[in-house]
Amino acid sequence: MVVVAWLAGLGLLLKREYFKSSTIRLAEAATRVGPGASYYTLSMGGGSIGYAASTVDTIGPTSPGDTTTPGVHVQDVVVIDIEALGSIQRMELTTDILLTRALHVRSFQGSLSSEAARMIARGKVEGDSVLVLEIDAGGSRPSRQRIRLERPIILPAMLPLQLAFGGELRIGRTYRLRMFDPIAFTEREVAVQVQAESTLMVPDSALKDPVTGQWVVAREDTVHAWKVAEETGGIITESWIDDQGSIVRAVSPVGFRMERTAFELAVENWRRNRGAARVAAGQNSDIIQSTAIAANLELAPEALTALRVRLGNVTLQGFDLGGGRQRLAGDTLIVTRETGFGDGPGGPRPTGFDARLPISASDPALASALAAEALVQSDDPRIQAQARRIVGRERRAGVVAELLTHWVYDNLEKKITVSVPSAAQVLENRSGDCNEHTVLYVALARALGLPARTAAGVVYLRGHFYYHAWPEVWLGQWAAVDPTFNQFPADAAHLRFVNGGLARQVELIRLIGRLRLTVLPGA
């Protein structure tokens, strides 16, 4: 789960509301944007785990095929090795943005590629009022939507340019914005604060050490820069940007660092020393192990009917801690396992266990849990056909939920996967971690008319709580199941913090490295 939260925080293409500066002033200032390239080392723990490159071309067109209108072309590339439970996987994120000279977005394309999957998001602004968004995540056809715009859009890569050329870099100023997530089609509040101004030293050129064969700093340059903190949903990212709108340094909430340097130091040294860099990074480079939370008591989750846990060191506001099997009393979370079905404890069954499928979508509370999404392609013919094969003629909601749990567990190879999970790609690849198990389960359930959604939080396993994802299905109430562990229902050591797709799951980032859990006696 933490892999998806981390990737979502890194890779989502977002829309932000313009700052309060004059559009005319921005257009005039933007004529000073010049071509150039910047290179960065990416590190976690004590060593480099990848590199990034950002280029600006001022002669690019403002739309594909347009060779006459001057504009700005911005391209970002991130290549990174992500270590999770000893498995190291390559991930590449690219973003191409075409802008007018006034820095208005005309079109963009972003892609995320890994060994497991590939996702591409494309956007094109028609006039100034409509964004045509297309997401290709391996389904039979791309997800496509037309979104009405109330104002020009700006993507994350454009925030430094907006600040630098919009006259917004003044210490102490705070700006409140609305961000748009083109995957989840939702907006969220953002606060940007200019915190400091300073001069930084940055490697400007490199030379090769004849003894070690490594590139080393040949000369450094001074850069005038501003420190900016961006907050969304309690998640704070800090960065230094220069007067030309380029990032100099940045730090993410999960300890991921980005520092500008010379090309040879960022790219050539990483390509030559990837193994040594991972050793230098040590355990802190393993994103799963470094984010696990040690438990104060040994538990036997399969024997638990209820669990009481005190939550500490974080603000609980905004999380989905109450409802269904969970109850929050002050800072104490009580989780009670469902009764009366599967291998769960005895007791009355949920009222909707024997309800016949499909469940009506007329209930607004359930409609979203039945709808197809860009990454949950429940309308894909292959997913619908597979769902029918799994359940045959069975239409009782509870029995269908159990059949799906066991089928997904039996048919997916258990493998840590670095990707944004897509149900269609998971069905094809038949492997993945909790994210892949969950997204496929949710798509299969929705294809049969069984409301299902993703829950994300932490789960107890061998002395630690790990970030995890699992499905919830509607059986007259929301009931937790876990196809990753073949649990129907899920044990009481599943602590849910959020419900929903990537837009909600990314909020787990504000827990990472901060959340303290104390299992209370009597659990």
Side-chain angles (χ1 to χ4, degrees):
M1 189 61 251
V2 72
V3 175
V4 166
W6 187 84
L7 289 178
L10 174 68
L12 287 178
L13 296 173
L14 305 170
K15 168 193 170 187
R16 289 190 177 93
E17 182 178 314
Y18 256 35
F19 292 96
K20 299 184 183 299
S21 60
S22 164
T23 301
I24 296 176
R25 184 177 66 190
L26 177 62
E28 294 174 348
T31 61
R32 304 196 304 270
V33 176
S38 300
Y39 301 94
Y40 303 87
T41 58
L42 307 178
S43 59
M44 181 176 285
S48 173
I49 59 173
Y51 69 87
S54 179
T55 60
V56 177
D57 181 1
T58 58
I59 62 173
T62 60
S63 61
D66 180 358
T67 58
T68 59
T69 306
V72 179
H73 176 206
V74 179
Q75 182 181 61
D76 290 334
V77 177
V78 175
V79 178
I80 193 168
D81 282 345
I82 298 178
E83 182 177 0
L85 297 182
S87 172
I88 298 173
Q89 298 184 42
R90 178 74 49 80
M91 186 270 289
E92 182 172 336
L93 174 69
T94 63
T95 306
D96 280 275
I97 308 172
L98 296 176
L99 309 158
T100 67
R101 288 297 291 181
L103 303 185
H104 289 186
V105 175
R106 303 311 305 165
S107 65
F108 64 85
Q109 175 171 305
S111 67
L112 188 150
S113 303
S114 69
E115 298 174 11
R118 177 177 174 84
M119 184 185 75
I120 301 175
R122 304 180 183 91
K124 182 179 180 181
V125 177
E126 295 183 349
D128 289 322
S129 59
V130 176
L131 171 64
V132 179
L133 184 66
E134 181 179 279
I135 298 177
D136 185 352
S140 58
R141 60 183 182 276
S143 170
R144 187 179 178 89
Q145 183 166 344
R146 294 174 64 86
I147 302 169
R148 178 68 59 180
L149 301 177
E150 297 180 0
R151 58 192 70 85
I153 69 171
I154 185 168
L155 303 177
M158 306 317 305
L159 178 59
L161 281 175
Q162 171 74 29
L163 289 168
F165 291 98
E168 308 300 340
L169 291 173
R170 300 177 188 176
I171 296 175
R173 295 191 66 175
T174 299
Y175 309 92
R176 298 198 175 275
L177 323 165
R178 295 290 295 175
M179 297 177 67
F180 177 77
D181 173 358
I183 294 177
F185 309 127
T186 58
E187 285 192 316
R188 62 174 68 232
E189 284 286 337
V190 181
V192 179
Q193 182 183 53
V194 183
Q195 296 183 332
E197 177 183 7
S198 186
T199 300
L200 306 179
M201 300 295 294
V202 176
D204 182 65
S205 59
L207 56 85
K208 181 174 285 189
D209 187 318
V211 177
T212 64
Q214 302 296 310
W215 290 93
V216 296
V217 177
R219 187 173 68 88
E220 291 187 318
D221 195 8
T222 57
V223 177
H224 179 241
W226 305 79
K227 184 180 180 182
V228 175
E230 178 181 346
E231 179 184 358
T232 175
I235 303 166
I236 299 176
T237 301
E238 295 181 344
S239 60
W240 287 86
I241 63 175
D242 66 17
D243 294 332
Q244 290 298 307
S246 295
I247 293 176
V248 181
R249 297 174 186 167
V251 180
S252 80
V254 293
F256 174 83
R257 298 185 303 279
M258 175 177 176
E259 297 180 281
R260 189 196 297 176
T261 189
F263 167 82
E264 295 84 356
L265 299 174
V267 180
E268 297 298 336
N269 277 356
W270 178 78
R271 288 173 176 170
R272 179 184 177 90
N273 301 308
R274 288 198 298 271
R278 286 195 294 269
V279 172
Q283 185 180 10
N284 288 335
S285 67
D286 189 306
I287 198 167
I288 305 299
Q289 297 290 6
S290 64
T291 57
I293 305 167
N296 61 304
L297 294 177
E298 288 290 333
L299 299 176
E302 64 281 358
L304 288 175
T305 58
L307 181 67
R308 297 171 63 244
V309 179
R310 180 176 295 120
L311 311 177
N313 206 42
V314 294
T315 301
L316 301 179
Q317 185 178 2
F319 289 116
D320 301 319
L321 292 166
R325 58 167 28 200
Q326 295 191 178
R327 180 169 62 88
L328 186 65
D331 61 355
T332 299
L333 183 67
I334 299 107
V335 183
T336 304
R337 192 181 188 191
E338 294 86 352
T339 62
F341 62 95
D343 58 356
R349 282 186 170 183
T351 58
F353 190 92
D354 293 317
R356 307 294 293 185
L357 298 182
I359 303 297
S360 173
S362 58
D363 185 345
L366 299 181
S368 62
L370 285 166
E373 300 176 25
L375 300 176
V376 184
Q377 303 97 334
S378 54
D379 57 350
D380 188 293
R382 294 168 298 177
I383 288 178
Q384 293 182 337
Q386 184 61 61
R388 291 192 295 268
R389 285 194 292 268
I390 295 168
V391 303
R393 295 182 179 274
E394 183 59 63
R395 289 298 178 267
R396 288 173 294 171
V399 179
V400 166
E402 183 173 12
L403 289 171
L404 294 179
T405 299
H406 299 320
W407 186 90
V408 172
Y409 174 81
D410 290 337
N411 288 273
L412 263 62
E413 177 188 359
K414 309 301 177 281
K415 179 181 179 182
I416 294 293
T417 302
V418 175
S419 72
V420 175
S422 159
Q425 292 180 346
V426 176
L427 182 62
E428 179 179 353
N429 298 335
R430 301 293 180 94
S431 67
D433 52 38
C434 64
N435 303 294
E436 282 69 31
H437 285 68
T438 298
V439 75
L440 179 57
Y441 183 101
V442 171
L444 292 168
R446 292 183 183 182
L448 295 168
L450 174 61
R453 65 187 187 186
T454 296
V458 296
V459 64
Y460 177 87
L461 186 64
R462 294 188 292 273
H464 289 78
F465 285 93
Y466 293 90
Y467 288 92
H468 187 57
W470 61 93
E472 290 184 343
V473 294
W474 181 257
L475 301 176
Q477 65 186 45
W478 287 109
V481 301
D482 195 336
T484 307
F485 297 147
N486 202 25
Q487 294 180 358
F488 183 80
D491 66 44
H494 288 65
L495 312 182
R496 183 194 67 230
F497 279 82
V498 297
N499 286 122
L502 290 177
R504 292 304 317 279
Q505 293 167 33
V506 71
E507 295 178 17
L508 293 177
I509 293 176
R510 64 185 172 107
L511 302 178
I512 295 173
R514 299 176 177 85
L515 178 62
R516 299 291 181 265
L517 299 174
T518 303
V519 178
L520 300 179

